[in-house]
Amino acid sequence: MDMFNKVTAFLQQALETREPSINLLDSFVDHWKAVTNYYIETTDESRPVKKTDIPWRLKQMLDILVYEETQQGEETGPCMEYLLQHKILETLCTLGKAQYPPGMNQQVMLFFSKVLSQIQKPVLHLINVYRPVQKLIHLCGLPDSKTETEESQFLFAVCARVKKDPYVLNYILEISKDSQKRCSSTSDEAVEEGCSGSSSPEGAPSSSSSARSGAHPSSPPQTATGIIPVLMHLGKSQKSRVALRSMESLLLLVSLPQQDTGHLLAEGTPLCHLLAQRLTELYCLIPSSLDPADIHSYSGAQWRDQFTQDSTEKSQSFPGSENVQSFFCFLDYCSELTKEAPKVLGVKMARAIHLQWLEGVIQPNLLQMSEVGILVHTALLSCSVRHIRSPALLEELVQFLLGSDTHCEQRQDTHTHLLRYRLIEHCNHISDEISITTLRLFEELLQKPSKSILTNLVLRNLEKRSYRLPGSGVTDEKHGVESDVLEESEGLEEDPFFTDMYEDSGLGGQEPLLSLPSVRERRNPSAHSQVADIVNSFLCLVPQEAKTSHLVQEAGYDTYVQDAHKLLKECMALSRDWNWPDSAKTTETNSATDFYEGHFLQILFDRIARILEQPYELNLQVTSVLSKLAVFPHPHLHEYLLDPYISLSPGARSLFSTLVRVIGELMQRIQHIHSVTDKLMMIRRQLMGLEEETMVDHETLLKGVIVLEEFCKELAAIAFVKLPIEEQ
């Protein structure tokens, strides 16, 4: 703006003082004739353009055009008329293409860039402007180009003008109805090709020959010319400023809000195919020898960060980190494109990424036999889930991983969606590393704003509440939930497994941490007494001689309440628009449906049942996933995971009943361990970093006991914070 003001002031002064009779048109024509005369008079063809007066002449012409526009108002000035009628831009484009004198192409692109950015009136719809612009676009992105900086600047000016005047997009894309049909059909074929294999660049490391060997980049559509392919090409430039400006230019085009422009970009250009192809290429460049721990610790970055020096210096460094950084930055870019694009375009881009990257590359690598390959690609997928912010891309990801089934699962439905089945089975894999990594993947999924994730994994199987004994509850009118009457609420205490366990341990008189409701209160329970009952049930579940948290400062139940409050707020914000019911659905009294908790909960409960036998890290991950589920404010999920007093239907199990069985096993096993409390205390202090690690007998069992105690406290805290606000 300062430069513009200076030019205006200079020209104004020239008009008013030095040359009051100056004629702008004559001056403009003189400058142009001086440019054309150079080609008539010069004999030195090797003289660079910067050593001629052509750059100065072009600058004077631009200054005149800009000044004229400020004086003419709405009318087109004579200098602009002259530029259009004499096809000056067309001539400049021809001179630039000829690169005569050497370097002329840069000067032409700079002139075009400034005309498009400094002239305020719409000009791109004029045939003598958009045709030379189209020709100049075709001169960009050529192999071994020396003018990438000027090209990116010119293309940014074009895209910024289109952003300002969206109706000119069709002129820039050069799309006719016939070419639009051809491009759309060819793009679809190219996208489908992505399903059969990845677009693996030559020399890319591979961990799955079935997924990568023999794969080659599918050919771009025949109509893949014009500004979109050029911007994609320049986005790969080694010059960070060129790549950044090109990616910003593409974002300007994609973010045009009109649905018709979105449809034009989706159906008339190879944009969707090229984006998916580039993402696939970058993924295939990631070495298969990555350490999964490095992937899990990767904090990620936004796509613009890769172009800043500070971010590059601060980025994590490990073998293959540059490839990982490049992929996740481009994934973040794709996520932003699909998020900012009109719906029709965002859906088309997300679908192309689904077919080429997810189905074409990720799926075969997740289904392979190599445990190393499964581990690396599951870790990369988990990190990818964390990076995706676009609703359209997230929807495609969920469809890919889980499918779209909403009916209750059956035990025999093991292959209705092969990938979903295998991923859940991987949570129970013989390799603890694969189990932990896959559980992390599901934990990432549970933190995404998608209702269908919870529905697919859990809620569809709890919809009918067939885990309850038919007719086992009465409705609490105040809170809209069913409360078991005396006989059923005492069912847990009458469980011989539960009762014998506590009698044998001498804990029958253990004082609860919250006051338990009386029998009369259970017949007419208030929300507070219900929650106190539930909280105490979890807090008192682990026998006293197996507890050690009370012997360590800041390790009590209260420490979990603050975290539970935070988690609940996050989950409530996440599920606010999911239209979940406020109260549980009434149980059908004559229901004879066999309850099946579903594949996902089945595996999680199986894992919890083996908590005393599994590695510490695996136990932490299993309990973390279950805690994430328990905090969601869905009445059926809350009841099934956090209510110890529901009367279960025959053959059904809940989280609490599973924990009760674990406690029974625990009581039998710790009877044979000498000084069990002291050993538990030693293990706890080692885990807290208060003591050096030393070998301890029954270490796996003792660590499992500590995780079990902490898990019960966490569940109690979650149950407490989910108490209705008015009752707290």
Side-chain angles (χ1 to χ4, degrees), residues 33 192 212 253 267 477 494 510 519 552 557 579 615 630:
K33 286 184 177 179
E192 295 294 341
R212 300 190 183 188
L253 292 183
E267 302 298 334
E477 294 181 359
E494 293 175 356
Q510 181 174 321
V519 169
V552 181
Y557 150 78
N579 298 318

Side-chain angles (χ1 to χ4, degrees), residues 511-531:
E511 184 177 351
L513 300 183
L514 295 176
S515 59
L516 284 168
S518 65
V519 169
R520 185 178 303 277
E521 286 174 327
R522 287 192 185 178
R523 290 184 182 275
N524 299 285
S526 67
H528 181 75
S529 64
Q530 285 179 326
V531 172

Side-chain angles (χ1 to χ4, degrees), residues 49-170:
V49 68
K50 289 185 177 181
K51 293 185 178 181
T52 71
D53 67 347
I54 291 178
W56 182 81
R57 296 288 182 180
L58 291 176
K59 182 180 183 303
Q60 298 307 306
M61 291 171 64
L62 175 68
D63 291 344
I64 291 172
L65 289 172
V66 171
Y67 176 76
E68 179 187 68
E69 185 181 43
T70 64
Q71 301 301 308
Q72 290 294 131
E74 296 297 324
E75 296 181 5
T76 301
C79 297
M80 178 60 74
E81 290 282 3
Y82 184 89
L83 178 136
L84 296 173
Q85 291 176 5
H86 290 78
K87 300 182 179 181
I88 290 178
L89 296 179
E90 189 88 27
T91 303
L92 284 173
C93 186
T94 302
L95 296 176
K97 183 178 181 180
Q99 273 287 50
Y100 175 61
M104 186 62 183
N105 198 21
Q106 289 99 316
Q107 298 302 318
V108 172
M109 287 190 180
L110 287 174
F111 182 78
F112 271 62
S113 300
K114 292 177 180 179
V115 167
L116 292 173
S117 59
Q118 295 184 27
I119 298 298
Q120 301 302 309
K121 293 187 181 71
V123 291
L124 263 180
H125 64 291
L126 303 173
I127 189 170
N128 286 336
V129 176
Y130 72 74
R131 277 190 176 173
V133 166
Q134 289 173 349
K135 291 181 179 180
L136 201 57
I137 289 173
H138 285 288
L139 297 180
C140 298
L142 300 177
D144 302 321
S145 173
K146 306 298 183 183
T147 60
E148 284 188 343
T149 301
E150 292 79 11
E151 291 170 20
S152 63
Q153 185 175 339
F154 161 65
L155 293 171
F156 184 82
V158 172
C159 294
R161 174 60 73 173
V162 173
K163 181 74 172 179
K164 185 177 180 181
D165 306 314
Y167 64 91
V168 302
L169 177 63
N170 197 33

Side-chain angles (χ1 to χ4, degrees), residues 420-475:
R420 177 185 187 274
Y421 173 79
R422 292 284 284 274
L423 283 175
I424 295 176
E425 282 294 308
H426 286 174
C427 295
N428 201 25
H429 201 277
I430 191 173
S431 165
D432 293 330
E433 278 192 289
I434 289 179
S435 295
I436 293 171
T437 301
T438 310
L439 285 165
R440 281 177 175 164
L441 168 62
F442 281 105
E443 186 175 14
E444 291 290 348
L445 282 172
L446 292 175
Q447 298 176 67
K448 306 305 290 186
S450 173
K451 178 182 179 181
S452 56
I453 294 173
L454 267 293
T455 300
N456 184 286
L457 289 175
V458 179
L459 293 179
R460 57 173 165 155
N461 303 305
L462 307 180
E463 177 66 24
K464 297 179 181 179
R465 297 177 75 201
S466 52
Y467 48 84
R468 294 175 62 103
L469 196 65
S472 63
V474 294
T475 302

Side-chain angles (χ1 to χ4, degrees), residues 497-507 543 545-546 612 662-677 679-680 698 701-702 705:
F497 196 88
F498 182 87
T499 308
D500 294 345
M501 173 184 71
Y502 277 87
E503 289 178 352
D504 292 343
S505 64
L507 296 173
E545 65 262 39
L612 303 178
V662 173
I663 296 299
E665 180 185 351
L666 166 64
M667 292 306 302
Q668 293 177 11
R669 295 181 64 174
I670 65 174
Q671 290 177 3
H672 306 290
I673 302 177
H674 181 66
S675 302
V676 64
T677 304
K679 290 182 178 179
L680 281 168
H698 312 287
L701 170 64
L702 297 176
V705 173

Side-chain angles (χ1 to χ4, degrees), residues 627-639:
S627 297
K628 288 287 192 305
L629 286 172
V631 81
F632 277 101
H634 190 286
H636 298 173
L637 193 58
H638 176 88
E639 177 183 57

Side-chain angles (χ1 to χ4, degrees), residues 36-44:
T36 56
N37 285 339
Y38 173 85
Y39 292 90
I40 298 172
E41 299 171 357
T42 188
T43 57
D44 186 1

